[in-house]
Amino acid sequence: MPITVDSREFNDLLNRVQREVKLSWTDTGNYFHRITPRDTGNARRNTRLKEKEILADYVYAGRLDEGYSKQAPTGMTDPSIDFFVDNLTERLGRL
């Protein structure tokens, strides 16, 4: 039994998936920024999303991400990964 794929529908679906991944990544960057501990504001001020990277541009970023701050005892990376997976799963479930 041959399987037929409508390439236009497939490409449309692929484009929608790519759009949802990009939106989810933006949401994750915002989430990472939001959960970054804020004492003097330096860490949040120097945390930004650049294309496919979250840049934590301050010397003590590694320390904060290891749970040094009481404001983010599990750091920011692990919770952000969990957020990304949950957010993307929800978005793709709507397609």
Side-chain angles (χ1 to χ4, degrees):
M1 170 187 278
I3 298 175
T4 308
V5 175
D6 181 341
S7 62
R8 189 172 16 164
E9 275 186 41
F10 178 77
N11 287 332
D12 180 52
L13 179 60
L14 186 58
N15 287 333
R16 288 188 295 159
V17 167
Q18 289 173 332
R19 185 173 45 248
E20 294 302 326
V21 169
K22 187 174 183 178
L23 290 170
S24 187
W25 180 245
T26 300
D27 288 349
T28 302
N30 292 333
Y31 176 78
F32 186 99
H33 185 267
R34 197 169 52 250
I35 66 170
T36 298
R38 187 170 122 197
D39 183 13
T40 64
N42 184 58
R44 281 196 190 172
R45 189 172 40 255
N46 290 298
T47 298
R48 64 185 116 320
L49 182 66
K50 182 180 178 186
E51 295 181 24
K52 296 181 180 180
E53 293 180 307
I54 297 172
L55 301 174
D57 192 17
Y58 45 95
V59 212
Y60 52 94
R63 230 172 145 191
L64 284 182
D65 199 35
E66 291 170 357
Y68 178 76
S69 171
K70 290 179 184 177
Q71 294 176 12
T74 58
M76 296 88 65
T77 300
D78 289 341
S80 293
I81 290 170
D82 294 340
F83 177 89
F84 177 74
V85 169
D86 293 344
N87 185 280
L88 185 58
T89 301
E90 181 181 325
R91 286 177 171 281
L92 294 180
R94 289 186 241 147
L95 290 182

